[in-house]
Amino acid sequence: MSRGGPVEAGTAPYDLVVTGARVLVAGAFAPAEVGVRDGTVAAIESLGAGLEGVRMARLADDEVLIPGLVDTHVHVNEPGRTEWEGFRTATRAAAAGGVTTIVDMPLNSIPPTTSVAALEVKRRAAAAAGLSVDVGFWGGIVPGNLADLRPLVAEGVYGFKCFLVDSGVPEFPPVTAPELEAAMRVLADLDRPVIVHAEDPAVIRSAPAANGRRYADFLASRPPAAEAAAITTVIEAARRTGARAHILHLSSAAALPLIAAAKRDGVRITAETCPHYLSLVAEDVPAGATDYKCCPPIRETDNRDALWGGLEDGTIDLVVTDHSPAPADLKHAGDGDFAEAWGGIASLQVGLPVVWTEARRRGIPIERVVGWMASAPARMAGVEGKGQIAVGAAADLAVVAPDAEFAVDAARLEHRHPITPYDGRTLQGVVRATYLAGEPVDGGATRGRMLRHP
């Protein structure tokens, strides 16, 4: 991308104009000029219209302009476990990966975001750390906090997360099926989704225990039946209450018919999957390679292929990272014993190229990938004005070279710890520039804002 010299401010109607042969508007690339004023897209014209801006940027021949991605599944972990990640490092990684908005999960911070007081603690921590991109917040549902849900809605959280199985941290315990339904009844008329880690604890208790370095043993400990049973629980609770439900990090394609049938029946349900489930396969996980551990787990090749089918037919609505890093002493605990290591994949900075590399291999155009990773997450969470290049939308933009290749070097990623299963992989899709509200995000700029659901 080339940047022309500045134009005298008094003669230019726009703060920034980006021009190029491939600008993603309304789901399709077209030659266009995008004029930005006061952080918002103010004009989209055909290439050659001659829009003038105080700053001018022209796409290179190998570049496209896409909306900044929206990642609604990020574990920032601050405060309380900032040594795992943090707002400064997480948002720098997001910006480097073309992500301009994240929505932070209510755990694994201490305190978890299960009350207004805890939300304020988190907001103060975010303000002190500095944000490179915009950040919204999920609330949490835990046993005993039904009275906190409406006040959290009034404070602008985007919805509420709960677990049906042990979360891994004691301060965020799981809810029972009756507790899930009670929360849905509170939230049914408030237009906030209940987003669920859907694995059934009884099925997991009856599965073989995960011990040792063999990935096959860990995989057997989190069977597809656990997801299917829990998703059935969520669907039936949503059916009875009329609440919006969202299935987090779907890994098992066996659950796709359940979700598709619920959608046909009019149940208000959506589902997401993640880059690791779309790109990695169980057969390739080396013994003791706990960088690959996550819950629910990475499954087999046929399962991965079926997840792609679920995306293409609309059963799965969106793709987000579930970025969940941890220090090496936790991620590599037990010298490769999958039972002892912390589960979570770090991918916030490389989510787009990971998904695009696999999509490209399958003949899926990047326009669809951007839809799954930008407009669809924004729509699910209700993040207004994000995830699209449209007049009146936020001027959150990413310049990407889809054909350019790079090798992932974990040590050079912006998130806190140099640990990722993608280390050394060659990927397509280089993010060359990111704009937040029309301003370039580079050099550690901290212009990000804390968002509230209106």
Side-chain angles (χ1 to χ4, degrees):
M1 182 177 65
S2 65
R3 297 182 182 178
V7 178
E8 186 178 344
T11 66
Y14 301 104
D15 304 322
L16 168 71
V17 172
V18 184
T19 66
R22 291 186 290 171
V23 176
L24 188 59
V25 179
F29 285 113
E33 301 183 358
V34 179
V36 175
R37 185 185 298 120
D38 298 329
T40 299
V41 176
I44 303 172
E45 302 289 349
S46 298
L47 188 63
L51 299 186
E52 292 186 353
V54 175
R55 289 172 292 124
M56 302 290 295
R58 185 175 67 251
L59 300 180
D61 291 344
D62 66 339
E63 293 175 342
V64 300
L65 185 70
I66 65 171
L69 304 186
V70 178
D71 194 333
T72 54
H73 197 152
V74 178
H75 292 270
V76 177
N77 308 328
E78 186 175 8
R81 291 190 175 93
T82 310
E83 71 275 12
W84 293 19
E85 187 58 288
F87 285 103
R88 184 184 67 84
T89 51
T91 59
R92 284 174 65 104
V99 178
T100 50
T101 302
I102 66 172
V103 187
D104 173 55
M105 284 291 165
L107 73 163
N108 302 301
S109 57
I110 302 173
T113 315
T114 54
S115 67
V116 170
L119 176 63
E120 289 307 313
V121 171
K122 180 167 282 194
R123 283 176 169 158
R124 287 195 296 271
L131 306 176
S132 294
V133 302
D134 289 348
V135 178
F137 301 95
W138 294 110
I141 300 169
V142 294
N145 83 323
L146 282 183
D148 292 293
L149 304 186
R150 287 183 181 273
L152 280 164
V153 168
E155 278 298 308
V157 300
Y158 283 87
F160 294 87
K161 179 177 185 177
C162 64
F163 278 73
L164 298 183
V165 69
D166 180 24
S167 73
V169 292
E171 67 277 0
F172 202 92
V175 296
T176 62
E179 288 168 334
L180 169 68
E181 187 161 332
M184 283 187 170
R185 292 193 182 282
V186 171
L187 296 168
D189 64 342
L190 295 175
D191 197 34
R192 295 294 196 280
V194 177
I195 64 174
V196 186
H197 182 123
E199 290 181 285
D200 186 273
V203 175
I204 289 177
R205 283 195 298 271
S206 67
N211 293 302
R213 295 169 54 84
R214 292 181 69 244
Y215 185 74
D217 293 336
F218 170 66
L219 184 60
S221 75
R222 317 287 294 215
E227 286 188 80
I231 288 169
T232 298
T233 297
V234 174
I235 288 169
E236 294 311 310
R239 191 191 307 275
R240 287 189 292 268
T241 63
R244 290 176 60 199
H246 178 73
I247 303 301
L248 296 167
H249 45 47
L250 180 69
S251 87
S252 171
L256 290 172
L258 299 172
I259 297 168
K263 288 185 172 189
R264 289 194 298 270
D265 290 347
V267 177
R268 301 173 71 197
I269 190 164
T270 51
E272 70 186 39
T273 193
C274 304
H276 38 283
Y277 303 130
L278 296 172
S279 63
L280 306 175
V281 291
E283 295 93 329
D284 293 341
V285 178
T290 53
D291 289 3
Y292 291 79
K293 180 183 176 180
C294 57
C295 297
I298 295 159
R299 302 192 188 276
E300 299 88 350
T301 301
D302 288 350
N303 182 88
R304 178 186 64 178
D305 294 343
L307 290 177
W308 277 102
L311 269 173
E312 292 194 86
D313 69 18
T315 304
I316 301 173
D317 299 88
L318 54 108
V319 180
V320 286
T321 62
D322 189 10
H323 177 72
S324 186
D329 61 341
L330 291 175
K331 193 63 186 161
H332 300 152
D335 191 28
D337 187 331
F338 281 96
E340 295 189 34
W342 178 259
I345 303 289
S347 62
L348 184 55
Q349 187 170 335
V350 296
L352 175 60
V354 166
V355 178
W356 165 232
T357 298
E358 185 65 24
R360 180 176 181 167
R361 187 176 72 83
R362 295 169 182 271
I364 298 170
I366 195 169
E367 300 96 300
R368 295 205 70 186
V369 172
V370 174
W372 292 325
M373 300 186 76
S375 57
R379 186 166 52 249
M380 182 277 293
V383 186
E384 293 187 348
K386 301 281 193 172
Q388 59 181 324
I389 301 176
V391 173
D396 296 351
L397 309 167
V399 177
V400 179
D403 300 328
E405 291 188 345
F406 71 102
V408 178
D409 180 352
R412 299 183 65 183
L413 297 178
E414 295 284 354
H415 66 254
R416 188 173 295 278
H417 299 286
I419 302 170
T420 178
Y422 304 110
D423 189 30
R425 284 187 170 237
T426 298
L427 302 175
Q428 283 81 44
V430 173
V431 177
R432 290 185 176 160
T434 302
Y435 291 87
L436 182 70
E439 295 288 338
V441 184
D442 51 27
T446 54
R447 301 188 186 94
R449 302 163 300 161
M450 282 180 278
L451 305 176
R452 295 172 182 249
H453 193 290

